Amino acid sequence: MPLVRYPVNFIRFLGTAGTRFIMLSQRRSSGGIWFSYGGARGVIDPGPGSLVRICEARPSLSPIDINTIILTHRHIDHSSDVNALVEGMVLKSQTPRGFILSTRDALEDEDRVIMRYLLPRIAKTAIHEDGKFTSPVGGVTIESVIHSHHGVECYGCVFRASGLPSWGVISDTAPLPDFPSRYGTCELLVINTALMFPRAKLDHMSLPDVESLLARTAPAAAVITHMGADLLDRGGEYISRRLAAKVIAATDGMVLTLENPMTILKPEGFDDDGAQE
Ligand SMILES: [Zn+2]
Ligand SMILES: [Zn+2]
């Protein structure tokens, strides 16, 4: 039965592309993650096509509903549509509106990605610092978790809200030893997993890194996204076989409830075989 209405709390994978090659071919979309959680609504890492994927989504989503935008880092596959989404966030408000959580380099450097002329229209901007808690709306906290990723400032997030499952996003990063403790309370983990196997000099998580992290944490569900070519060639079935059954390989448009029990919902046009490849 097609999904006709989103639950109050959910995430939708606007895109699941990892690596520049997958982004540039659009073999998978690259729009980041839409989330609605405890009254915070917005996108994590709005890469190329994010606005288009939002406007095409069924059931519908609208950039005008956004009140929260999060950049884990400034790389183009995570940030190219951020200014368009800020326009959506502030469009209907005469006074500054919304919340942006960003790295310092994406917001303040000379080579920043968030345009300066938009800043007076945003009600609150916050900069990631390791262990710092920020709050986009009352009742929701976001804890920043420092990552290690090719020399750019990069952070993951842990989201918490009373009465809702806590969830964590591990962005582009080499696996770090404190991830099991930092993400240990998350009931859902979303993990950017670009690689099939660890590769020296590439600061990305691989399937064995995910396996080892999940052996030391106990989320009720885990989703891998931001996948590179090797993983996409093998497909979701292979990934599920390699990892525990609770691990899902995301596909574009996939919707997951952020309420207990966390379940996958099937929007119109969604193909859980990943057949859009
Ligand atoms: Zn990156
Ligand atoms: Zn990336």
Side-chain angles (χ1 to χ4, degrees), residues 77-78 172 226:
D77 54 324
H78 297 254
D172 294 1
H226 196 279

Side-chain angles (χ1 to χ4, degrees), residues 22-219:
I22 303 299
M23 172 195 76
L24 289 168
S25 67
Q26 288 291 291
R27 175 176 171 184
R28 288 286 182 100
S29 303
S30 49
I33 299 170
W34 177 285
F35 67 96
S36 171
Y37 181 70
R41 282 182 308 283
V43 177
I44 304 166
D45 286 349
S50 190
L51 175 63
V52 174
R53 299 299 161 211
I54 291 168
C55 293
E56 285 180 349
R58 296 292 177 273
S60 64
L61 298 172
S62 170
I64 295 165
D65 292 336
I66 289 174
N67 60 21
T68 304
I69 298 172
I70 298 170
L71 292 188
T72 66
H73 65 299
R74 66 196 299 282
H75 282 162
I76 200 86
D77 54 324
H78 297 254
S79 68
S80 71
D81 276 16
V82 65
N83 295 297
L85 296 197
V86 172
E87 286 285 10
M89 182 165 77
V90 302
L91 182 71
K92 291 208 164 167
S93 180
Q94 300 302 315
T95 53
R97 178 170 185 268
F99 171 81
I100 283 202
L101 175 59
S102 166
T103 53
R104 188 175 303 281
D105 56 3
L107 192 64
E108 293 182 352
D109 274 11
E110 190 185 350
D111 196 23
R112 64 191 162 270
V113 297
I114 300 169
M115 288 181 177
R116 195 170 281 176
Y117 80 92
L118 291 167
L119 296 182
R121 302 177 64 194
I122 302 167
K124 186 174 168 193
T125 57
I127 303 275
H128 287 290
E129 288 172 34
D130 190 31
K132 180 171 142 185
F133 286 77
T134 51
S135 181
V137 296
V140 176
T141 62
I142 305 172
E143 180 185 354
S144 299
V145 180
I146 196 163
H147 286 358
S148 173
H149 182 52
H150 295 307
V152 296
E153 294 175 37
C154 186
Y155 290 81
C157 296
V158 176
F159 298 80
R160 297 182 180 93
S162 151
L164 294 174
S166 58
W167 57 293
V169 170
I170 298 180
S171 184
D172 294 1
T173 181
L176 297 181
D178 66 347
F179 280 173
S181 61
R182 301 298 297 277
Y183 287 98
T185 60
C186 294
E187 291 161 76
L188 167 69
L189 275 179
V190 178
I191 307 167
N192 285 10
T193 310
L195 302 173
M196 178 81 86
F197 299 107
R199 285 174 59 186
K201 299 184 184 167
L202 289 187
D203 288 343
H204 280 286
M205 297 282 282
S206 69
L207 225 44
D209 298 325
V210 172
E211 212 163 11
S212 138
L213 174 65
L214 293 178
R216 288 180 289 156
T217 50

Side-chain angles (χ1 to χ4, degrees), residues 238-250:
Y238 171 82
I239 294 161
S240 303
R241 271 202 313 275
R242 274 282 308 272
L243 303 173
K246 65 184 177 184
V247 180
I248 302 151

